[in-house]
Amino acid sequence: MSSVSHVVRGCAAAALLAASALLAGCASNLGSDPIAAAMSTSYPSALPVQYRRQQVVDPTGEKPGTIVIDTKDKFLYFVEPDGKAMRYGVGVGKEGFGWTGEAKVGAKQEWPDWIPPAEMLQRRPELPLRMSGGPENPLGARAMYLYRDGKDTLFRIHGTNEPLTIGRAMSSGCIRMINFDVQDLYERVPIGTKVVVR
């Protein structure tokens, strides 16, 4: 896994990019309305079918109750009993920001606030000290905070108000999901869930 400084740059930079566009009043670079996208309960017609939630034969070999993230194919699997898995499309880290390894879900939050790290605020003093949770927040409807050895890695599995980024390597290390998919996963996943990133 990346060093702590790389991790801080990772997820924080992803949130910074999304928040910067929102705070500047700019439309998403993919042309979606962030509030409408955040509140939608259907997939955008332009999203390929393979990135829509579906039950599949489990390809992971992990125990039921495990989250497995396939960064190459941009899928997140929640392993179920009887050789099945729920598969979701995800956005993953772009080149230089991806990571692999194991972690656990150490905390969960509905409509999480975003707090830019001090390091980011030094570079971008115009950013708010805190961005309240809600449809415009780059962390989306839910966040699952990934911990290793009892410490926050600063990586998250979280929602997004830019659904057409699903299936792309475009984040700075966090795993993003369509909001209603991350809400579905959030309900299935207890604190302590094992997360494998491949």
Side-chain angles (χ1 to χ4, degrees), residues 28 30-40 42-48 51 89-91 159-168 170 176-180:
S28 160
L30 295 171
S32 64
D33 174 352
I35 294 177
M39 304 309 290
S40 178
S42 62
Y43 294 103
S45 59
L47 185 72
Y51 297 123
V90 295
T160 182
N161 52 24
E162 295 183 299
L164 293 181
T165 61
I166 301 304
R168 299 179 179 214
M170 38 51 60
R176 61 170 61 180
M177 304 175 68
I178 286 181
N179 275 330
F180 59 88

Side-chain angles (χ1 to χ4, degrees), residues 7 13 37 58 72-73 198:
V7 171
D58 173 36
K72 180 183 176 194
D73 291 327
R198 298 176 175 168

Side-chain angles (χ1 to χ4, degrees), residues 32 44 50 57 91 128 188:
S32 64
Q50 69 263 30
V57 174
R188 298 172 187 266

Side-chain angles (χ1 to χ4, degrees), residues 50-181:
Q50 69 263 30
Y51 297 123
R52 302 177 189 203
R53 181 173 69 224
Q54 54 194 284
Q55 190 178 57
V56 297
V57 174
D58 173 36
T60 72
E62 296 288 340
K63 294 180 180 178
T66 304
I67 292 173
V68 180
I69 299 163
D70 175 350
T71 58
K72 180 183 176 194
D73 291 327
K74 285 62 167 195
F75 294 129
L76 181 151
Y77 296 92
F78 181 70
V79 182
E80 300 177 322
D82 302 320
K84 301 290 185 184
M86 190 60 68
R87 188 181 78 187
Y88 308 82
V90 295
V92 301
K94 61 188 173 184
E95 186 174 350
F97 289 93
W99 62 282
T100 58
E102 293 187 8
K104 290 187 176 181
V105 174
K108 298 167 56 177
Q109 185 67 49
E110 298 184 12
W111 293 105
D113 289 353
W114 175 56
I115 303 170
E119 168 182 294
M120 182 184 295
L121 289 170
Q122 287 177 354
R123 293 191 312 268
R124 298 290 307 274
E126 74 277 10
L127 291 175
L129 296 178
R130 174 187 295 265
M131 186 177 206
S132 296
E136 294 186 352
N137 189 301
L139 295 183
R142 302 289 185 271
M144 287 156 273
Y145 299 78
L146 303 184
Y147 281 59
R148 176 181 278 178
D149 300 324
K151 296 180 181 179
D152 188 352
T153 66
L154 302 181
F155 287 120
R156 317 285 185 236
I157 299 170
H158 64 80
T160 182
N161 52 24
E162 295 183 299
L164 293 181
T165 61
I166 301 304
R168 299 179 179 214
M170 38 51 60
S171 81
S172 293
C174 288
I175 306 301
R176 61 170 61 180
M177 304 175 68
I178 286 181
N179 275 330
F180 59 88
D181 277 351

